[in-house]
Amino acid sequence: MKIVIGSDHGGYILKEKIGKFLSERGIEVTDIGTYSEESVDYPDFAAKAVSLILDRTVELGVLVCGTGIGISIAANRFKGIRAAIVYNSDAARLSREHNNANIFAVGARTMDHEEVLKNLEIWLNTEFSGGRHERRICKMDNF
Ligand code: RB5
């Protein structure tokens, strides 16, 4: 599996931890930055990550900012992107089962980093249920 990871400066430290966590599990990681805690703009990193998902270079993405809010709002501007802010284990499971989320978004300043990694494991191991959920997702793609 190939996954793109990205963050702004607020999410940089957690993005680095996530990259290590994924690599250790044999996942091919594309890190589109940022690469330090120097101030940058989260929409730029959301757009870069999204482009790799939409052109099918990678299957899924992980985006981190201070809260997970700005970077997920930016990612969700693109048709075909379903970025979910994953705030607990139920959200991890249901965002895959029901929403077929293709981006796992989290906040480095508002969430416990160890818990984020546990939720990421759940997210990666959960499949989309399809059925009525497929119909709902299709509706969003036709807005
Ligand atoms: C950057 O200071 C901060 O605004 C950003 O990381 C994020 O939390 C925005 O939603």
Side-chain angles (χ1 to χ4, degrees):
M1 183 192 287
K2 293 181 186 172
I3 294 190
V4 60
I5 62 171
S7 74
D8 71 353
H9 54 291
Y12 167 71
I13 297 283
L14 179 55
K15 188 259 290 171
E16 293 297 296
K17 292 181 191 174
I18 288 171
K20 184 169 175 285
F21 176 87
L22 293 173
S23 299
E24 283 170 0
R25 277 155 183 76
I27 291 169
E28 197 178 316
V29 176
T30 302
D31 183 349
I32 52 89
T34 188
Y35 303 116
S36 76
E37 291 186 274
E38 189 180 325
S39 184
V40 291
D41 298 335
Y42 57 80
D44 299 335
F45 295 89
K48 268 191 201 173
V50 160
S51 70
L52 296 185
I53 295 171
L54 294 180
D55 73 11
R56 299 182 187 277
T57 303
V58 302
E59 295 152 68
L60 299 171
V62 177
L63 289 175
V64 193
C65 66
T67 58
I69 296 171
I71 208 155
S72 60
I73 289 174
N76 279 320
R77 292 291 185 98
F78 295 82
K79 188 171 275 193
I81 292 299
R82 294 172 301 277
I85 302 184
V86 175
Y87 47 86
N88 66 21
S89 58
D90 284 338
R93 183 174 56 79
L94 291 167
S95 65
R96 291 287 302 146
E97 282 182 359
H98 290 191
N99 313 113
N100 200 13
N102 50 12
I103 292 184
F104 177 96
V106 283
R109 294 174 177 158
T110 56
M111 296 183 187
D112 179 86
H113 292 191
E114 284 308 307
E115 203 182 326
V116 166
L117 298 179
K118 283 181 193 156
N119 292 337
L120 181 54
E121 182 94 59
I122 294 168
W123 193 77
L124 292 172
N125 289 322
T126 308
E127 296 289 322
F128 179 47
S129 303
R132 67 187 187 281
H133 302 297
E134 180 75 51
R135 184 182 71 237
R136 291 164 186 165
I137 283 170
C138 285
K139 286 191 176 183
M140 290 192 280
D141 285 339
N142 289 318
F143 281 162

PDB file of all heavy atoms in Angstrom, residues 22-52:
ATOM      1  N   LEU A  22       4.263   4.212   9.824  1.00  0.00           N
ATOM      2  CA  LEU A  22       3.806   3.562   8.589  1.00  0.00           C
ATOM      3  C   LEU A  22       4.942   2.784   7.930  1.00  0.00           C
ATOM      4  O   LEU A  22       4.752   1.647   7.489  1.00  0.00           O
ATOM      5  CB  LEU A  22       3.259   4.620   7.620  1.00  0.00           C
ATOM      6  CG  LEU A  22       1.977   5.331   8.062  1.00  0.00           C
ATOM      7  CD1 LEU A  22       1.634   6.472   7.101  1.00  0.00           C
ATOM      8  CD2 LEU A  22       0.800   4.355   8.147  1.00  0.00           C
ATOM      9  N   SER A  23       6.118   3.369   7.882  1.00  0.00           N
ATOM     10  CA  SER A  23       7.272   2.692   7.257  1.00  0.00           C
ATOM     11  C   SER A  23       7.582   1.398   7.979  1.00  0.00           C
ATOM     12  O   SER A  23       7.885   0.382   7.345  1.00  0.00           O
ATOM     13  CB  SER A  23       8.508   3.593   7.281  1.00  0.00           C
ATOM     14  OG  SER A  23       8.245   4.755   6.561  1.00  0.00           O
ATOM     15  N   GLU A  24       7.493   1.423   9.307  1.00  0.00           N
ATOM     16  CA  GLU A  24       7.769   0.218  10.099  1.00  0.00           C
ATOM     17  C   GLU A  24       6.774  -0.909   9.793  1.00  0.00           C
ATOM     18  O   GLU A  24       7.049  -2.065  10.058  1.00  0.00           O
ATOM     19  CB  GLU A  24       7.712   0.539  11.597  1.00  0.00           C
ATOM     20  CG  GLU A  24       8.964   1.259  12.077  1.00  0.00           C
ATOM     21  CD  GLU A  24       8.819   1.809  13.505  1.00  0.00           C
ATOM     22  OE1 GLU A  24       7.744   1.626  14.135  1.00  0.00           O
ATOM     23  OE2 GLU A  24       9.780   2.432  13.979  1.00  0.00           O
ATOM     24  N   ARG A  25       5.630  -0.546   9.240  1.00  0.00           N
ATOM     25  CA  ARG A  25       4.621  -1.549   8.881  1.00  0.00           C
ATOM     26  C   ARG A  25       4.708  -1.947   7.411  1.00  0.00           C
ATOM     27  O   ARG A  25       3.796  -2.556   6.865  1.00  0.00           O
ATOM     28  CB  ARG A  25       3.216  -1.013   9.225  1.00  0.00           C
ATOM     29  CG  ARG A  25       2.909  -1.233  10.680  1.00  0.00           C
ATOM     30  CD  ARG A  25       1.896  -0.262  11.224  1.00  0.00           C
ATOM     31  NE  ARG A  25       1.735  -0.534  12.650  1.00  0.00           N
ATOM     32  CZ  ARG A  25       2.609  -0.180  13.582  1.00  0.00           C
ATOM     33  NH1 ARG A  25       3.720   0.459  13.237  1.00  0.00           N
ATOM     34  NH2 ARG A  25       2.401  -0.469  14.856  1.00  0.00           N
ATOM     35  N   GLY A  26       5.775  -1.563   6.755  1.00  0.00           N
ATOM     36  CA  GLY A  26       5.990  -1.967   5.366  1.00  0.00           C
ATOM     37  C   GLY A  26       5.180  -1.167   4.365  1.00  0.00           C
ATOM     38  O   GLY A  26       5.065  -1.557   3.202  1.00  0.00           O
ATOM     39  N   ILE A  27       4.634  -0.047   4.802  1.00  0.00           N
ATOM     40  CA  ILE A  27       3.842   0.807   3.897  1.00  0.00           C
ATOM     41  C   ILE A  27       4.786   1.782   3.192  1.00  0.00           C
ATOM     42  O   ILE A  27       5.671   2.369   3.836  1.00  0.00           O
ATOM     43  CB  ILE A  27       2.746   1.547   4.689  1.00  0.00           C
ATOM     44  CG1 ILE A  27       1.706   0.521   5.168  1.00  0.00           C
ATOM     45  CG2 ILE A  27       2.094   2.638   3.852  1.00  0.00           C
ATOM     46  CD1 ILE A  27       0.711   1.039   6.167  1.00  0.00           C
ATOM     47  N   GLU A  28       4.582   1.943   1.892  1.00  0.00           N
ATOM     48  CA  GLU A  28       5.411   2.879   1.123  1.00  0.00           C
ATOM     49  C   GLU A  28       4.883   4.300   1.352  1.00  0.00           C
ATOM     50  O   GLU A  28       3.733   4.585   1.011  1.00  0.00           O
ATOM     51  CB  GLU A  28       5.338   2.510  -0.362  1.00  0.00           C
ATOM     52  CG  GLU A  28       6.432   3.131  -1.190  1.00  0.00           C
ATOM     53  CD  GLU A  28       6.345   2.685  -2.641  1.00  0.00           C
ATOM     54  OE1 GLU A  28       6.139   1.470  -2.866  1.00  0.00           O
ATOM     55  OE2 GLU A  28       6.448   3.552  -3.520  1.00  0.00           O
ATOM     56  N   VAL A  29       5.726   5.138   1.941  1.00  0.00           N
ATOM     57  CA  VAL A  29       5.283   6.482   2.335  1.00  0.00           C
ATOM     58  C   VAL A  29       5.887   7.542   1.419  1.00  0.00           C
ATOM     59  O   VAL A  29       7.087   7.550   1.177  1.00  0.00           O
ATOM     60  CB  VAL A  29       5.722   6.768   3.798  1.00  0.00           C
ATOM     61  CG1 VAL A  29       5.363   8.193   4.190  1.00  0.00           C
ATOM     62  CG2 VAL A  29       5.078   5.772   4.753  1.00  0.00           C
ATOM     63  N   THR A  30       5.027   8.425   0.922  1.00  0.00           N
ATOM     64  CA  THR A  30       5.501   9.613   0.201  1.00  0.00           C
ATOM     65  C   THR A  30       5.256  10.810   1.105  1.00  0.00           C
ATOM     66  O   THR A  30       4.105  11.124   1.432  1.00  0.00           O
ATOM     67  CB  THR A  30       4.727   9.803  -1.130  1.00  0.00           C
ATOM     68  OG1 THR A  30       4.897   8.635  -1.918  1.00  0.00           O
ATOM     69  CG2 THR A  30       5.239  11.018  -1.881  1.00  0.00           C
ATOM     70  N   ASP A  31       6.325  11.444   1.539  1.00  0.00           N
ATOM     71  CA  ASP A  31       6.235  12.581   2.460  1.00  0.00           C
ATOM     72  C   ASP A  31       6.376  13.872   1.656  1.00  0.00           C
ATOM     73  O   ASP A  31       7.466  14.209   1.193  1.00  0.00           O
ATOM     74  CB  ASP A  31       7.346  12.458   3.516  1.00  0.00           C
ATOM     75  CG  ASP A  31       7.294  13.564   4.559  1.00  0.00           C
ATOM     76  OD1 ASP A  31       6.539  14.550   4.367  1.00  0.00           O
ATOM     77  OD2 ASP A  31       8.025  13.450   5.560  1.00  0.00           O
ATOM     78  N   ILE A  32       5.256  14.616   1.514  1.00  0.00           N
ATOM     79  CA  ILE A  32       5.288  15.842   0.698  1.00  0.00           C
ATOM     80  C   ILE A  32       5.581  17.085   1.554  1.00  0.00           C
ATOM     81  O   ILE A  32       5.417  18.210   1.087  1.00  0.00           O
ATOM     82  CB  ILE A  32       3.990  16.012  -0.130  1.00  0.00           C
ATOM     83  CG1 ILE A  32       2.708  15.910   0.730  1.00  0.00           C
ATOM     84  CG2 ILE A  32       3.913  14.965  -1.228  1.00  0.00           C
ATOM     85  CD1 ILE A  32       2.233  17.194   1.318  1.00  0.00           C
ATOM     86  N   GLY A  33       6.055  16.874   2.796  1.00  0.00           N
ATOM     87  CA  GLY A  33       6.403  17.999   3.666  1.00  0.00           C
ATOM     88  C   GLY A  33       5.226  18.451   4.505  1.00  0.00           C
ATOM     89  O   GLY A  33       4.168  17.833   4.458  1.00  0.00           O
ATOM     90  N   THR A  34       5.421  19.455   5.300  1.00  0.00           N
ATOM     91  CA  THR A  34       6.595  20.283   5.397  1.00  0.00           C
ATOM     92  C   THR A  34       7.704  19.544   6.151  1.00  0.00           C
ATOM     93  O   THR A  34       7.431  18.557   6.821  1.00  0.00           O
ATOM     94  CB  THR A  34       6.234  21.623   6.081  1.00  0.00           C
ATOM     95  OG1 THR A  34       7.306  22.524   6.028  1.00  0.00           O
ATOM     96  CG2 THR A  34       5.777  21.436   7.499  1.00  0.00           C
ATOM     97  N   TYR A  35       8.915  20.080   6.062  1.00  0.00           N
ATOM     98  CA  TYR A  35      10.057  19.356   6.614  1.00  0.00           C
ATOM     99  C   TYR A  35      10.690  20.049   7.816  1.00  0.00           C
ATOM    100  O   TYR A  35      11.813  19.721   8.196  1.00  0.00           O
ATOM    101  CB  TYR A  35      11.094  19.134   5.503  1.00  0.00           C
ATOM    102  CG  TYR A  35      10.506  18.394   4.313  1.00  0.00           C
ATOM    103  CD1 TYR A  35      10.432  19.019   3.068  1.00  0.00           C
ATOM    104  CD2 TYR A  35      10.000  17.102   4.432  1.00  0.00           C
ATOM    105  CE1 TYR A  35       9.876  18.359   1.972  1.00  0.00           C
ATOM    106  CE2 TYR A  35       9.435  16.438   3.345  1.00  0.00           C
ATOM    107  CZ  TYR A  35       9.378  17.067   2.127  1.00  0.00           C
ATOM    108  OH  TYR A  35       8.825  16.414   1.046  1.00  0.00           O
ATOM    109  N   SER A  36      10.005  20.996   8.420  1.00  0.00           N
ATOM    110  CA  SER A  36      10.523  21.664   9.625  1.00  0.00           C
ATOM    111  C   SER A  36       9.360  22.360  10.328  1.00  0.00           C
ATOM    112  O   SER A  36       8.235  22.327   9.838  1.00  0.00           O
ATOM    113  CB  SER A  36      11.585  22.704   9.258  1.00  0.00           C
ATOM    114  OG  SER A  36      10.948  23.860   8.732  1.00  0.00           O
ATOM    115  N   GLU A  37       9.673  23.021  11.422  1.00  0.00           N
ATOM    116  CA  GLU A  37       8.633  23.751  12.156  1.00  0.00           C
ATOM    117  C   GLU A  37       8.547  25.223  11.722  1.00  0.00           C
ATOM    118  O   GLU A  37       7.869  26.024  12.365  1.00  0.00           O
ATOM    119  CB  GLU A  37       8.876  23.628  13.662  1.00  0.00           C
ATOM    120  CG  GLU A  37       8.628  22.204  14.169  1.00  0.00           C
ATOM    121  CD  GLU A  37       8.728  22.080  15.674  1.00  0.00           C
ATOM    122  OE1 GLU A  37       9.859  21.878  16.168  1.00  0.00           O
ATOM    123  OE2 GLU A  37       7.685  22.202  16.341  1.00  0.00           O
ATOM    124  N   GLU A  38       9.197  25.540  10.638  1.00  0.00           N
ATOM    125  CA  GLU A  38       9.101  26.906  10.100  1.00  0.00           C
ATOM    126  C   GLU A  38       7.699  27.121   9.532  1.00  0.00           C
ATOM    127  O   GLU A  38       7.153  26.240   8.868  1.00  0.00           O
ATOM    128  CB  GLU A  38      10.149  27.069   8.990  1.00  0.00           C
ATOM    129  CG  GLU A  38      10.309  28.484   8.506  1.00  0.00           C
ATOM    130  CD  GLU A  38      11.365  28.562   7.402  1.00  0.00           C
ATOM    131  OE1 GLU A  38      12.340  27.798   7.474  1.00  0.00           O
ATOM    132  OE2 GLU A  38      11.166  29.374   6.484  1.00  0.00           O
ATOM    133  N   SER A  39       7.144  28.290   9.783  1.00  0.00           N
ATOM    134  CA  SER A  39       5.754  28.549   9.430  1.00  0.00           C
ATOM    135  C   SER A  39       5.480  28.439   7.926  1.00  0.00           C
ATOM    136  O   SER A  39       6.200  29.009   7.099  1.00  0.00           O
ATOM    137  CB  SER A  39       5.366  29.956   9.931  1.00  0.00           C
ATOM    138  OG  SER A  39       4.004  30.175   9.664  1.00  0.00           O
ATOM    139  N   VAL A  40       4.438  27.669   7.600  1.00  0.00           N
ATOM    140  CA  VAL A  40       3.987  27.490   6.206  1.00  0.00           C
ATOM    141  C   VAL A  40       2.457  27.549   6.201  1.00  0.00           C
ATOM    142  O   VAL A  40       1.838  27.682   7.261  1.00  0.00           O
ATOM    143  CB  VAL A  40       4.460  26.117   5.641  1.00  0.00           C
ATOM    144  CG1 VAL A  40       5.960  26.074   5.448  1.00  0.00           C
ATOM    145  CG2 VAL A  40       3.980  24.960   6.540  1.00  0.00           C
ATOM    146  N   ASP A  41       1.862  27.406   5.025  1.00  0.00           N
ATOM    147  CA  ASP A  41       0.404  27.492   4.891  1.00  0.00           C
ATOM    148  C   ASP A  41      -0.190  26.110   4.615  1.00  0.00           C
ATOM    149  O   ASP A  41       0.109  25.496   3.578  1.00  0.00           O
ATOM    150  CB  ASP A  41       0.033  28.443   3.753  1.00  0.00           C
ATOM    151  CG  ASP A  41       0.514  29.862   4.019  1.00  0.00           C
ATOM    152  OD1 ASP A  41       0.682  30.225   5.208  1.00  0.00           O
ATOM    153  OD2 ASP A  41       0.741  30.599   3.044  1.00  0.00           O
ATOM    154  N   TYR A  42      -1.077  25.650   5.512  1.00  0.00           N
ATOM    155  CA  TYR A  42      -1.606  24.282   5.378  1.00  0.00           C
ATOM    156  C   TYR A  42      -2.328  23.996   4.051  1.00  0.00           C
ATOM    157  O   TYR A  42      -2.249  22.866   3.563  1.00  0.00           O
ATOM    158  CB  TYR A  42      -2.497  23.904   6.575  1.00  0.00           C
ATOM    159  CG  TYR A  42      -3.674  24.813   6.823  1.00  0.00           C
ATOM    160  CD1 TYR A  42      -4.831  24.698   6.088  1.00  0.00           C
ATOM    161  CD2 TYR A  42      -3.611  25.797   7.803  1.00  0.00           C
ATOM    162  CE1 TYR A  42      -5.907  25.551   6.300  1.00  0.00           C
ATOM    163  CE2 TYR A  42      -4.675  26.651   8.024  1.00  0.00           C
ATOM    164  CZ  TYR A  42      -5.820  26.529   7.268  1.00  0.00           C
ATOM    165  OH  TYR A  42      -6.871  27.370   7.474  1.00  0.00           O
ATOM    166  N   PRO A  43      -2.991  24.972   3.392  1.00  0.00           N
ATOM    167  CA  PRO A  43      -3.653  24.608   2.129  1.00  0.00           C
ATOM    168  C   PRO A  43      -2.674  24.097   1.068  1.00  0.00           C
ATOM    169  O   PRO A  43      -3.033  23.248   0.245  1.00  0.00           O
ATOM    170  CB  PRO A  43      -4.314  25.921   1.677  1.00  0.00           C
ATOM    171  CG  PRO A  43      -4.506  26.683   2.949  1.00  0.00           C
ATOM    172  CD  PRO A  43      -3.296  26.374   3.785  1.00  0.00           C
ATOM    173  N   ASP A  44      -1.457  24.607   1.089  1.00  0.00           N
ATOM    174  CA  ASP A  44      -0.471  24.171   0.085  1.00  0.00           C
ATOM    175  C   ASP A  44      -0.160  22.685   0.236  1.00  0.00           C
ATOM    176  O   ASP A  44       0.014  21.967  -0.755  1.00  0.00           O
ATOM    177  CB  ASP A  44       0.828  24.970   0.230  1.00  0.00           C
ATOM    178  CG  ASP A  44       0.606  26.459   0.006  1.00  0.00           C
ATOM    179  OD1 ASP A  44      -0.357  26.810  -0.699  1.00  0.00           O
ATOM    180  OD2 ASP A  44       1.391  27.264   0.549  1.00  0.00           O
ATOM    181  N   PHE A  45      -0.114  22.205   1.470  1.00  0.00           N
ATOM    182  CA  PHE A  45       0.243  20.800   1.718  1.00  0.00           C
ATOM    183  C   PHE A  45      -0.962  19.887   1.507  1.00  0.00           C
ATOM    184  O   PHE A  45      -0.819  18.759   1.035  1.00  0.00           O
ATOM    185  CB  PHE A  45       0.898  20.671   3.096  1.00  0.00           C
ATOM    186  CG  PHE A  45       2.203  21.422   3.110  1.00  0.00           C
ATOM    187  CD1 PHE A  45       2.236  22.767   3.457  1.00  0.00           C
ATOM    188  CD2 PHE A  45       3.364  20.817   2.672  1.00  0.00           C
ATOM    189  CE1 PHE A  45       3.412  23.495   3.386  1.00  0.00           C
ATOM    190  CE2 PHE A  45       4.551  21.538   2.597  1.00  0.00           C
ATOM    191  CZ  PHE A  45       4.569  22.881   2.956  1.00  0.00           C
ATOM    192  N   ALA A  46      -2.131  20.396   1.812  1.00  0.00           N
ATOM    193  CA  ALA A  46      -3.346  19.623   1.512  1.00  0.00           C
ATOM    194  C   ALA A  46      -3.441  19.411   0.003  1.00  0.00           C
ATOM    195  O   ALA A  46      -3.674  18.287  -0.464  1.00  0.00           O
ATOM    196  CB  ALA A  46      -4.576  20.370   2.021  1.00  0.00           C
ATOM    197  N   ALA A  47      -3.236  20.464  -0.764  1.00  0.00           N
ATOM    198  CA  ALA A  47      -3.367  20.371  -2.227  1.00  0.00           C
ATOM    199  C   ALA A  47      -2.340  19.412  -2.817  1.00  0.00           C
ATOM    200  O   ALA A  47      -2.660  18.626  -3.723  1.00  0.00           O
ATOM    201  CB  ALA A  47      -3.228  21.763  -2.849  1.00  0.00           C
ATOM    202  N   LYS A  48      -1.121  19.452  -2.320  1.00  0.00           N
ATOM    203  CA  LYS A  48      -0.078  18.546  -2.829  1.00  0.00           C
ATOM    204  C   LYS A  48      -0.440  17.093  -2.558  1.00  0.00           C
ATOM    205  O   LYS A  48      -0.310  16.232  -3.421  1.00  0.00           O
ATOM    206  CB  LYS A  48       1.265  18.820  -2.109  1.00  0.00           C
ATOM    207  CG  LYS A  48       2.161  19.804  -2.785  1.00  0.00           C
ATOM    208  CD  LYS A  48       3.538  19.771  -2.110  1.00  0.00           C
ATOM    209  CE  LYS A  48       4.283  21.052  -2.387  1.00  0.00           C
ATOM    210  NZ  LYS A  48       5.546  21.144  -1.637  1.00  0.00           N
ATOM    211  N   ALA A  49      -0.892  16.812  -1.349  1.00  0.00           N
ATOM    212  CA  ALA A  49      -1.241  15.435  -0.984  1.00  0.00           C
ATOM    213  C   ALA A  49      -2.433  14.958  -1.805  1.00  0.00           C
ATOM    214  O   ALA A  49      -2.435  13.844  -2.339  1.00  0.00           O
ATOM    215  CB  ALA A  49      -1.553  15.355   0.511  1.00  0.00           C
ATOM    216  N   VAL A  50      -3.433  15.812  -1.922  1.00  0.00           N
ATOM    217  CA  VAL A  50      -4.643  15.463  -2.671  1.00  0.00           C
ATOM    218  C   VAL A  50      -4.304  15.111  -4.124  1.00  0.00           C
ATOM    219  O   VAL A  50      -4.849  14.159  -4.688  1.00  0.00           O
ATOM    220  CB  VAL A  50      -5.643  16.647  -2.619  1.00  0.00           C
ATOM    221  CG1 VAL A  50      -6.653  16.567  -3.737  1.00  0.00           C
ATOM    222  CG2 VAL A  50      -6.333  16.686  -1.258  1.00  0.00           C
ATOM    223  N   SER A  51      -3.384  15.846  -4.729  1.00  0.00           N
ATOM    224  CA  SER A  51      -3.075  15.588  -6.146  1.00  0.00           C
ATOM    225  C   SER A  51      -2.552  14.168  -6.323  1.00  0.00           C
ATOM    226  O   SER A  51      -2.869  13.514  -7.315  1.00  0.00           O
ATOM    227  CB  SER A  51      -2.093  16.631  -6.692  1.00  0.00           C
ATOM    228  OG  SER A  51      -0.819  16.437  -6.121  1.00  0.00           O
ATOM    229  N   LEU A  52      -1.799  13.647  -5.366  1.00  0.00           N
ATOM    230  CA  LEU A  52      -1.269  12.271  -5.480  1.00  0.00           C
ATOM    231  C   LEU A  52      -2.360  11.221  -5.297  1.00  0.00           C
ATOM    232  O   LEU A  52      -2.272  10.132  -5.852  1.00  0.00           O
ATOM    233  CB  LEU A  52      -0.159  12.038  -4.452  1.00  0.00           C
ATOM    234  CG  LEU A  52       1.102  12.895  -4.612  1.00  0.00           C
ATOM    235  CD1 LEU A  52       2.155  12.473  -3.606  1.00  0.00           C
ATOM    236  CD2 LEU A  52       1.655  12.785  -6.030  1.00  0.00           C
TER     237      LEU A  52
END
